[in-house]
Amino acid sequence: MSGAPRRQYTNPVIRWIEYRLPIFSTVEATIGADMPTPKNLNYWWSFGGLLTLALVIQIVTGIVLAMHYIAHGSMAFDSVEHIMRNVNSGWLIRYVHANGASLFFLAVYVHIARGMYYGSYKYPREILWMLGVVIFLIMMATAFMGYVLPWGQMSFWAATVITNLFSAIPVIGEEITTWLWGGFSVDSPTLTRFYSLHYLLPFAIFGVTILHIWALHVHGPNNPTGIDVKGPQDTIPYKPYYTSKYLSVFSAFMMVLAVLVFFEPNYLGHPDNYKPADPLQTPAHIVPEWYFLPFYAILRAIPDKLLGVIAMFGSILVWFILPWLDTSRVRSGRYRPLFKQFFWLLVIDFLVLMWCGAQPAEGPALIVARIATAYYFLHFIVILPLVGWFERPKPLPESISTSVLGSGAAAPKAAE
Amino acid sequence: MATTADGKGGHGHASRRDILMVAATGAAAVGAAYAAWPLINSMNPSADVLALASTEVDLAPIQEGQSITVQWRGKPVFVRHRTKDEIAKAAADDKAGLPDVQADAARVKKAEWLILVGVCTHLGCIPLGQKATEGRGDFGGWFCPCHGSHYDTSGRIRKGPAPRNLEVPQYTFLDDKRIRIG
């Protein structure tokens, strides 16, 4: 960790490089491989590492797909079919990329929910949390632009609807959308720039992820009790204990991915995207990918165009101030009986919004979406600050060690 | 002169070095903005896209009650040959409490020809109603299936989330049976 004296390396080659470019010690000090880690991390803590793996899978498969894909309005759709039918293993690489994106979002939602439940955003990890929100926003932009690239009907109309969100900006909205499109409607210039950005943004995610891990290493990870590490009796080395735990989670992830890719590769997709983009025909029912449905529901729940757009972006931006909205000094939801119930209500609310986003925006589904949207904001802006004031938390354990081993655990000091 | 050796300027007076610093930084910022502009502007519509900015339409084959869709700047344009009923209905609704108030007469050059950009003013979907087989919504004009906006026989928004009436593009009658859009 920071402030520790830099290590002397025994390998002469490393020593030679280190003397001229201190890269090994710098990597170790910021995102280094080994660190004392709370001994009670459960499986929910594996999702951070899993997300890194998912990002690497997306980048590697994406680079290969880019070698075969053509970002032009008249050729994009056919080039994707070319990948599916002609390119060696093209179908495999594309299905891994498409389903990998879905699992990436599944993992990131679990990761965010874990952070919310165990209060991982609280002092002193606020910046760590905010960097995570930045990563999530870039992820959304990347996924959206990637979905446009196959240039099917859903791609085209998703691009149209989402870029039209910017026309809600007062005064300069029209100019901004024309600039985003590079024309007077979504067309080839739009596709090409989305392709450029879709290639760029994952590397931005990679960069912010390094900052995220760096911030993690300054104070170490939070843990299910939410109390700080008090000494070596509370920790175990990262290697091999947590690396082996990760490996089992990685395997499970790969199995789920394999089931999707090999048995139901289009389960999460939309059949309309196998029709080429047609600027003169809107599909009867436009829906985004499942991972955007809750935010799409919030957008449609508000009858005013500009306010709808503000609410949709606001529903994520509110996470930036979460560390200050939660007034409780107890981190972990495990010791917060009232908060715990509201947390699960929020999870249910999010799933309800997800269901609403897939329904046509009328009738009972619209009313449900409005109630769920109101509750979503109520949770963050009203309930969370109040619960911190009124709740009486359960007593915290003395230390991580006693919470794991019971009260008689003070004796075996070293876990190493 | 209140200049000090460290260039900070004593007693709240700006030193010559401060002024040079501000001037140089300012000039660099202006230079950076100038350098950035071509990059930003390159994303605006290119010359070939702008060159496609007008379309001519022959109205002769369109029967009364019929609509056709032509493409202009990549967008659909609805050309509807309105019936007497539709014109009367549109004029009668001028005072019907419209969300975006506009008289039917201000939206057409010749009452029987209604020319509109066929893009919903909500989030850019294409409303249904061009074909006789498609639903035309509660007001006999167009209906946008994406988020449920209803337009009347003048293309005005009557119900749903769209904020504005369907846009009327710039067009001119070249003669009785031909128009140029754009």
Side-chain angles (χ1 to χ4, degrees):
Chain A
M1 275 181 226
S2 58
R6 293 203 160 169
R7 200 171 111 194
Q8 285 300 310
Y9 293 91
T10 42
N11 184 315
V13 178
I14 290 180
R15 217 159 49 203
W16 189 90
I17 297 170
E18 178 75 14
Y19 185 68
R20 286 151 184 85
L21 177 73
I23 187 164
F24 298 100
S25 58
T26 304
V27 167
E28 221 166 274
T30 51
I31 62 167
D34 209 353
M35 61 170 178
T37 312
K39 60 177 15 167
N40 59 339
L41 297 190
N42 55 30
Y43 276 103
W44 301 116
W45 260 263
S46 309
F47 282 77
L50 190 58
L51 286 163
T52 317
L53 174 75
L55 178 63
V56 170
I57 291 175
Q58 292 305 99
I59 289 180
V60 170
T61 51
I63 287 171
V64 176
L65 287 170
M67 295 173 187
H68 305 284
Y69 172 78
I70 302 166
H72 187 276
S74 62
M75 289 181 267
F77 187 87
D78 290 342
S79 78
V80 172
E81 286 309 302
H82 161 74
I83 290 168
M84 294 302 289
R85 292 154 197 256
N86 304 337
V87 174
N88 300 327
S89 307
W91 61 272
L92 175 67
I93 299 163
R94 173 161 178 263
Y95 278 151
V96 168
H97 196 73
N99 288 289
S102 264
L103 290 189
F104 201 161
F105 271 93
L106 184 66
V108 88
Y109 283 136
V110 172
H111 189 62
I112 291 169
R114 191 272 289 151
M116 286 183 178
Y117 183 81
Y118 291 109
S120 299
Y121 46 82
K122 290 187 188 181
Y123 173 88
R125 298 186 182 85
E126 297 95 329
I127 289 187
L128 170 60
W129 169 262
M130 289 157 88
L131 287 168
V133 180
V134 170
I135 293 174
F136 181 66
L137 287 170
I138 309 177
M139 257 180 83
M140 293 181 87
T142 311
F144 159 64
M145 293 189 200
Y147 190 62
V148 172
L149 300 185
W151 212 236
Q153 273 290 66
M154 279 294 159
S155 300
F156 183 90
W157 291 101
T160 300
V161 168
I162 299 301
T163 50
N164 261 302
L165 295 178
F166 292 90
S167 71
I169 299 169
V171 191
I172 51 166
E174 294 287 323
E175 280 72 22
I176 287 186
T177 38
T178 303
W179 177 70
L180 286 174
W181 290 336
F184 302 102
S185 59
V186 172
D187 208 339
S188 211
T190 325
L191 173 63
T192 313
R193 67 192 53 183
F194 278 15
Y195 179 53
S196 166
L197 294 173
H198 183 71
Y199 206 115
L200 167 73
L201 291 182
F203 296 97
I205 294 177
F206 197 83
V208 183
T209 301
I210 288 174
L211 295 180
H212 191 67
I213 297 173
W214 185 4
L216 171 73
H217 279 238
V218 176
H219 293 284
N222 184 27
N223 66 80
T225 66
I227 55 179
D228 291 327
V229 168
K230 295 203 172 86
Q233 74 280 5
D234 287 342
T235 65
I236 45 173
Y238 191 83
K239 278 192 293 200
Y241 297 103
Y242 286 117
T243 41
S244 58
K245 199 162 182 167
Y246 274 169
L247 281 177
S248 59
V249 174
F250 284 1
S251 315
F253 177 87
M254 295 307 274
M255 275 192 264
V256 176
L257 183 61
V259 168
L260 278 170
V261 166
F262 294 113
F263 296 97
E264 283 290 348
N266 292 303
Y267 177 69
L268 297 165
H270 197 292
D272 269 8
N273 220 27
Y274 283 101
K275 290 184 198 160
D278 179 358
L280 297 182
Q281 182 75 48
T282 309
H285 184 39
I286 299 186
V287 278
E289 293 285 84
W290 68 268
Y291 42 81
F292 288 148
L293 288 173
F295 306 105
Y296 192 60
I298 290 174
L299 168 75
R300 299 189 307 176
I302 310 231
D304 182 86
K305 183 169 160 181
L306 178 60
L307 290 178
V309 174
I310 290 172
M312 187 184 75
F313 285 111
S315 65
I316 297 163
L317 295 180
V318 71
W319 296 352
F320 275 113
I321 51 168
L322 182 57
W324 296 276
L325 288 173
D326 186 347
T327 49
S328 173
R329 259 181 270 171
V330 175
R331 282 200 197 102
S332 173
R334 194 181 266 186
Y335 306 104
R336 302 184 57 195
L338 207 52
F339 166 84
K340 193 190 282 187
Q341 294 172 28
F342 282 113
F343 169 83
W344 288 111
L345 266 179
L346 180 72
V347 171
I348 293 166
D349 187 63
F350 193 75
L351 295 174
V352 168
L353 281 169
M354 194 176 272
W355 174 81
C356 291
Q359 307 303 314
E362 54 198 19
L366 185 58
I367 293 163
V368 173
R370 287 190 177 148
I371 295 167
T373 301
Y375 182 79
Y376 181 92
F377 285 102
L378 202 69
H379 174 92
F380 286 105
I381 293 166
V382 179
I383 294 173
L384 219 44
L386 288 181
V387 164
W389 283 106
F390 291 110
E391 178 183 58
R392 175 192 284 254
K394 288 198 240 170
L396 295 175
E398 248 169 75
S399 70
I400 292 171
S401 189
T402 53
S403 85
V404 176
L405 301 169
S407 50
K413 257 191 176 169
E416 282 97 326
Chain B
M1 291 243 282
T3 328
T4 54
D6 61 10
K8 277 180 188 162
H11 316 292
H13 294 291
S15 71
R16 190 179 294 192
R17 187 168 292 179
D18 286 336
I19 292 166
L20 282 172
M21 275 298 287
V22 170
T25 312
V30 171
Y34 261 98
W37 175 244
L39 300 173
I40 295 166
N41 193 32
S42 78
M43 287 171 72
N44 270 318
S46 56
D48 61 323
V49 173
L50 291 173
L52 293 173
S54 75
T55 305
E56 283 186 23
V57 186
D58 182 12
L59 303 179
I62 309 169
Q63 303 296 313
E64 195 175 298
Q66 226 180 16
S67 287
I68 65 157
T69 306
V70 296
Q71 210 169 351
W72 171 64
R73 288 176 158 187
K75 295 182 203 179
V77 170
F78 296 162
V79 179
R80 185 180 278 195
H81 193 168
R82 297 194 293 182
T83 60
K84 294 259 172 351
D85 280 357
E86 286 173 336
I87 297 167
K89 207 166 145 195
D93 281 355
D94 280 355
K95 295 184 186 71
L98 304 167
D100 181 8
V101 181
Q102 207 178 10
D104 181 54
R107 295 175 56 76
V108 290
K109 291 194 173 158
K110 293 183 180 177
E112 65 267 38
W113 295 107
L114 179 63
I115 290 134
L116 300 167
V117 175
V119 173
C120 181
T121 55
H122 182 227
L123 292 174
C125 295
I126 297 177
L128 301 173
Q130 281 300 88
K131 293 181 196 134
T133 49
E134 292 171 348
R136 287 184 167 177
D138 295 352
F139 298 89
W142 289 269
F143 170 70
C144 183
C146 291
H147 308 100
S149 294
H150 299 255
Y151 296 93
D152 67 11
T153 54
S154 188
R156 291 173 298 199
I157 178 67
R158 301 298 292 271
K159 194 174 133 189
R164 283 174 290 112
N165 300 335
L166 289 179
E167 191 194 331
V168 178
Q170 283 215 345
Y171 65 93
T172 44
F173 275 89
L174 300 170
D175 53 50
D176 260 9
K177 289 292 173 196
R178 274 191 320 135
I179 57 166
R180 184 171 59 218
I181 304 167

